[in-house]
Structures are given as structure tokens and as C-alpha cells.
Amino acid sequence: MREKIIETALQQFLEHGIRKMTLQKLVLLLGISTKTMYKYFSNKEQLLEECLGLHYKDADKGMKEMLRESQNPVAALASVYSKAIELDFGTTHLFYYDLNYYYPELQDKVMKKYVSGALETVTSLIQQGINEGYFLAYLKAPIVLESLTVMYTSVTRNNTYKDFTMKRELIKHTIVIYLRGICSDKGLAIITQLKGMSI
């Protein structure tokens, strides 16, 4: 029952956003008693933490598969951020909006637990790009990743731009400009070929 509650709640959070989905709505949807719900989860935040764990485990697995399929480090890194933009601003944007604005500490906590392996993979990917001459030779892979993370969260967790489309375009432009800035001529040739990508 616990797993069923988590899976159903995650599906509902992704579809309707976190704030609109209450424990009572989930109880009705699942056809269980309130007592059963509270047997497993003392509050909505505890349930959300479990849902995020499941969500980020799945996202980590998907990202690793996507990286294995990429032809080179530039295309792979562009794919990672293209997917992130799709998640944050696509069909699940209400979920990510609520997460970024109302539960950022919880999101960070869960991501540290479940996404650390993926971050190591991306750091290795950046290092590979440096070693193979796609990215500038003097760069340090952990700093590149940290810079990308800071830029991304500065837009997604900032309410300066209330216009949803503006926010999406701002992050796309920011990432593209940064990727171009870290590329060597060899990497820039790949970026030019990737113009058709959603990023």
C-alpha cells in the first residue's frame, strides 16, 4: 500500500502540481481511509519527500541512458540541459514550479541523495570533453558543472520573471551562451550542428 500511495501521489503531483494536491484528495482517489494514509505518512511533506526520491531515481536512470546514447560530450551536455528545460517548463511545469518556489530545501535534500551519481557522470562527461578538445583546455570540470547549476537555479528559483515563456527563453539562451563559451573550435562546430535541438 505504501508504494501504491507514493506512485499515485507522484503521478498526481506531476499532473496537477504539488500545492493543489492535498492528502484528502489522494485519500479519495486511492479509495483508502485517512487513517491508512497517516499510518504511512504523517504529513504531505513526508509523502512528497518519498515521491521525489522515486522521481529522481527514475530521472537519474533516464539521464544515464541518454548520456550513453550521445555521440560526443558537447551533444551529451546539451541533451542534459534540454531535458531539464523540458521537465521544468513542459507538461510537468506546475510540479517543478511548486517544487522550486515552495520546497527548494526538500528538493535539494532529495537530489543530494539520489542524483549525486548523475552529477559525477556529468562531471566526468565535461572532463572527457576537455580531454578530447571539445571544451577549452584550461577549464575545471567541477567548476563548469557548478556554474551551470548556479545559472540554472538562478532562473528556475527566481520570481523576477513572472512570464513563463520569458523564463523558458531566458534559461535556454543562458545555457546556449554558456555552452558556446566553454567550447573550443571543435566544440563550436558541434554546437552549430545542434541548432535543431530544443535547447
Side-chain angles (χ1 to χ4, degrees):
M1 179 53 73
R2 187 175 191 278
E3 287 72 24
K4 185 180 178 183
I5 293 170
I6 293 168
E7 288 170 8
T8 303
L10 177 58
Q11 180 186 19
Q12 293 301 307
F13 287 148
L14 287 167
E15 191 174 333
H16 303 289
I18 300 165
R19 293 188 73 205
K20 288 183 180 178
M21 188 51 53
T22 64
L23 289 183
Q24 193 55 45
K25 285 180 183 177
L26 285 167
V27 162
L28 292 172
L29 189 68
L30 286 159
I32 61 174
S33 68
T34 305
K35 185 178 178 181
T36 301
M37 176 65 82
Y38 284 106
K39 174 183 171 185
Y40 297 106
F41 305 100
S42 57
N43 56 49
K44 183 177 173 181
E45 192 162 307
Q46 185 186 21
L47 173 59
L48 177 59
E49 184 172 349
E50 294 296 323
C51 290
L52 290 177
L54 176 61
H55 180 63
Y56 282 117
K57 274 193 267 186
D58 289 345
D60 181 50
K61 183 180 171 188
M63 190 184 83
K64 286 177 180 171
E65 287 173 17
M66 181 176 65
L67 291 176
R68 277 195 295 273
E69 294 169 7
S70 292
Q71 298 170 348
N72 61 66
V74 177
L77 197 56
S79 293
V80 167
Y81 283 93
S82 181
K83 183 65 177 174
I85 290 167
E86 179 188 320
L87 289 172
D88 269 316
F89 299 100
T91 56
T92 55
H93 71 274
L94 287 175
F95 170 76
Y96 283 97
Y97 177 87
D98 287 350
L99 198 54
N100 282 314
Y101 285 104
Y102 302 107
Y103 302 96
E105 294 86 9
L106 184 60
Q107 182 185 29
D108 288 345
K109 175 184 173 185
V110 175
M111 285 181 74
K112 280 180 187 166
K113 185 174 179 182
Y114 292 103
V115 188
S116 59
L119 295 178
E120 288 170 15
T121 302
V122 175
T123 303
S124 297
L125 176 74
I126 295 165
Q127 188 60 55
Q128 177 189 345
I130 293 167
N131 296 344
E132 294 176 4
Y134 289 103
F135 301 133
L136 299 171
Y138 63 84
L139 295 172
K140 294 189 177 6
I143 303 300
V144 170
L145 179 61
E146 186 64 27
S147 299
L148 282 162
T149 302
V150 167
M151 283 187 291
Y152 198 88
T153 56
S154 71
V155 174
T156 55
R157 290 189 179 175
N158 189 324
N159 214 13
T160 303
Y161 295 96
K162 300 206 187 253
D163 182 317
F164 183 74
T165 306
M166 170 72 84
K167 211 172 251 236
R168 181 181 189 133
E169 290 306 306
L170 178 63
I171 195 63
K172 280 171 64 177
H173 282 73
T174 302
I175 297 297
V176 168
I177 290 166
Y178 187 80
L179 286 178
R180 290 183 66 84
I182 66 171
C183 281
S184 64
D185 289 342
K186 182 179 176 181
L188 284 171
I190 300 295
I191 291 279
T192 303
Q193 294 171 9
L194 297 176
K195 279 186 177 173
M197 287 185 63
S198 59
I199 194 168

